[in-house]
Amino acid sequence: MTGQKRGITADDFYRMRYASDPQLSPDGTAVAYVLTMVDEELAYRSHLFIRSLTAQTSTPLTDGAVRDSAPRWSPDGTRICFVSKRSGKSQLWLIDVDGGEPRQLTRCRTGATNPVWSPDGKRIAFSSLLSPDDSFADTEGDEKKDEPKKAIVVGRMKYKSDDLGYVYDVNRQIAVVDVETGAITPLTEGDYQHTVGAWSPDGKWLAITANRVDDPDLQHSIDVHLVSADGGEWKKLTRSKGTFFFPTWSPDGKKLAYIGSESPTQLIATQKKVWMSDLDSGRQDCITEGWDVQVGDATIGDVRSPGHPNPGAVWTEDGEGMYFLASERGSSGIYHTTLDGEVTQVVGGERNVYGFTLHERGQTAVIAVSDPFTPGDLYAVNLATGEEVRLTDVNRDLFAELELPAPIGLEYEGEDGLPLHGWLLKPVGYEPGRKYPLVLQIHGGPHSMYGHTFFHEFHLLAAKGYAVLYTNPRGSLGYGEKFVQACCGDYGGNDYLDLMSAVKYACGRFDFIDTDRMGVAGGSYGGFMTNWIVGQTNVFKAAVTDRSICNWLSFYGVSDIGYYFAEEEIQASPFGNPEKLWQHSPIRHVANIETPLLIMHGEQDHRCPIEQAEQLYIALQRQGKAPVRFIRFPGASHELSRSGDPQQRVLRLQYTCEWFDTYLLQPQKVVME
């Protein structure tokens, strides 16, 4: 290594920070944002900061042992509404931009989230999870309804969620709160899920999204609706043929833009586009129909939690165009489209732009950026000149200590000639002439993408002496609609061959790779593929499978998305074509597995439930062939490696490294106890 720098460690996660959710002030002179960190008690904390675009430092607006999020400026720029659990449940709070003590605005028993100011600054729309026995009038601290139930009658198929747990009869409802009095006006009700969108410029309507079809368990469309801000009248804008999100109003209030897709057959494996409704004529158009690129950020990382606020399509001041995020070939940036669908890139580069806020009149944007050396920082961008100024450098001290290798881009072909794309990290301290073990990493989704973003696990493996190969096989976003859908009905087919082609290409190009010491790892779909690979080949000498799938027959009925995910992605059901579900199940090949396999899974994972790991572990143990170890993480959901308990995340990284060290760095075959 050069100088005094060192490789990254698992424990360095406790020192990492990232900035997110930038929000420009109404006058465009300052930006509010969230800084997330892990404190000395090894718990997540997030605080609000304000940064003048001309100043050199950021000013903290909140502090303490709290998690504050979603800062939203009042229209006059004097106050900020935000979400915090400082009173116990997530509630809306107000604070003056000059500082002082925050004031609690809502006291809903089930909490409040997703604040959106009305144009006149007198009301804020928000959402809350309510059962039929709940109301917005129930106050925080009233726990009489939270007594454990002796029996639960399940009447819907979507009765659990990896994000929310068991929901049964709970639905997300929307209300409006008066900023001065705290009086709440409910806007939605019924057995439907609703999501807050945006106020019309005149303050009379709220654009929201919801699935309000007759059978939302079987018809998964999400439509855009207009709801009277005073309650009562509804208008449905879309045709219940797709999924739409993030509605935004044109400046004159005559049009509404939103992000989504419309397809009679593809709910999951389809690219999102920019759409628009003309409110006078009722006409709906797909603005970016002819542009074969994913709208939104599809990049996977492992430091920032997923689900950062998407601003949707942000209108220009003259109403003749929109700015939005999009993902191409491992990068995400900001693009502009005219109403005729002419798209140009505004903010690009080999990096991951995962959020932005815009002051179009001042030709200023603040972007949230990650790259292979940056977990998450903010930059100010002059939209007229393209000039950028870095506003934050929240990991300066930590990263000054670290040696982080630069990714090497790879272009190669699959067995059928399909162009493919990926990256390789050399080991930290690489020396020409030496041989190094390789770890192939496989992303989840499968409809997401690896890219030009920070990945702690990859840098950790490189610091431990491994070359790290990560690629985007068919099924990944960022390479066009046909590429996204190419794995559907073919899991373990050409997608598997794409990954093996990547390994073959890397071994042929880089003579420092020791082909006798290669490992493979992945989570979710990447865990499925890891399980599949070790049942097909012994080329890898160790494997780590996280929150994986091994049996599509059981997955169909136990996952929160199982029945419709399997029908679209595997194109089969237990009552329609059970043989096909079994054909694509890695456990079918368990007798072939000889690769030492580490299985890790969260016990509260509703996306890929832990019974998948249990099946695989017992089957392998019963055979007594391949060394296997099973690690369960109590309380952990499917998001363990991205937003889970900090200590569990570090343990998971340590277990991963220990497993590969045992079987790839040490010559002896040792089964870890």
Side-chain angles (χ1 to χ4, degrees), residues 284-306:
Q284 180 186 9
D285 293 300
C286 182
I287 301 299
T288 59
E289 177 66 32
W291 193 56
D292 193 19
V293 175
Q294 164 75 0
V295 172
D297 174 26
T299 318
I300 287 182
D302 69 344
V303 172
R304 302 184 321 278
S305 59

Side-chain angles (χ1 to χ4, degrees), residues 364-400:
T364 302
V366 173
I367 59 176
V369 175
S370 176
D371 61 36
F373 314 103
T374 307
D377 274 303
L378 305 183
Y379 291 76
V381 182
N382 184 312
L383 297 177
T385 66
E387 180 184 1
E388 296 187 10
V389 176
R390 187 166 188 163
L391 299 179
T392 66
D393 192 358
V394 299
N395 292 290
R396 179 192 294 115
D397 293 341
L398 170 61
F399 279 51

Side-chain angles (χ1 to χ4, degrees), residues 492-530:
N494 282 315
D495 51 354
Y496 159 68
L497 296 177
D498 288 350
L499 292 162
M500 299 309 293
S501 294
V503 174
K504 180 179 179 180
Y505 173 81
C507 291
R509 176 174 170 180
F510 303 104
D511 60 6
F512 58 81
I513 295 175
D514 188 339
T515 57
D516 292 326
R517 293 189 296 154
M518 297 195 298
V520 58
S524 195
Y525 165 84
F528 154 81
M529 187 56 72
T530 298

Side-chain angles (χ1 to χ4, degrees), residues 463-596:
K464 300 283 286 186
Y466 298 95
V468 183
L469 175 63
Y470 52 108
T471 73
N472 286 325
R474 68 192 70 198
S476 305
L477 285 165
Y479 303 87
E481 184 91 352
K482 184 177 180 181
F483 194 93
V484 173
Q485 298 176 357
C487 70
C488 294
D490 189 39
Y491 275 41
N494 282 315
D495 51 354
Y496 159 68
L497 296 177
D498 288 350
L499 292 162
M500 299 309 293
S501 294
V503 174
K504 180 179 179 180
Y505 173 81
C507 291
R509 176 174 170 180
F510 303 104
D511 60 6
F512 58 81
I513 295 175
D514 188 339
T515 57
D516 292 326
R517 293 189 296 154
M518 297 195 298
V520 58
S524 195
Y525 165 84
F528 154 81
M529 187 56 72
T530 298
N531 298 339
W532 184 266
I533 284 174
V534 296
Q536 309 296 316
T537 178
N538 292 327
V539 70
F540 298 101
K541 306 309 178 188
V544 177
T545 183
D546 280 289
R547 58 196 192 284
S548 69
I549 298 168
C550 75
N551 187 340
W552 289 105
L553 282 162
S554 63
F555 175 86
Y556 185 93
V558 298
S559 167
D560 63 344
I561 63 171
Y563 66 98
Y564 60 89
F565 187 91
E567 288 178 5
E568 179 173 331
E569 294 291 307
I570 307 301
Q571 299 179 353
S573 70
F575 47 84
N577 190 353
E579 294 81 7
K580 185 167 175 58
L581 288 177
W582 184 243
Q583 176 187 347
H584 293 280
S585 296
I587 202 166
R588 182 168 72 94
H589 302 285
V590 72
N592 300 333
I593 297 177
E594 298 178 357
T595 305

Side-chain angles (χ1 to χ4, degrees), residues 614-645:
E614 292 169 334
Q615 290 186 57
L616 185 60
Y617 173 69
I618 293 300
L620 285 169
Q621 282 285 59
R622 179 63 182 86
Q623 293 181 101
K625 290 172 53 180
V628 58
R629 189 185 190 195
F630 183 20
I631 299 174
R632 304 167 66 102
F633 291 94
S637 74
H638 198 63
E639 295 302 315
L640 165 65
S641 66
R642 292 170 286 199
S643 61
D645 175 86

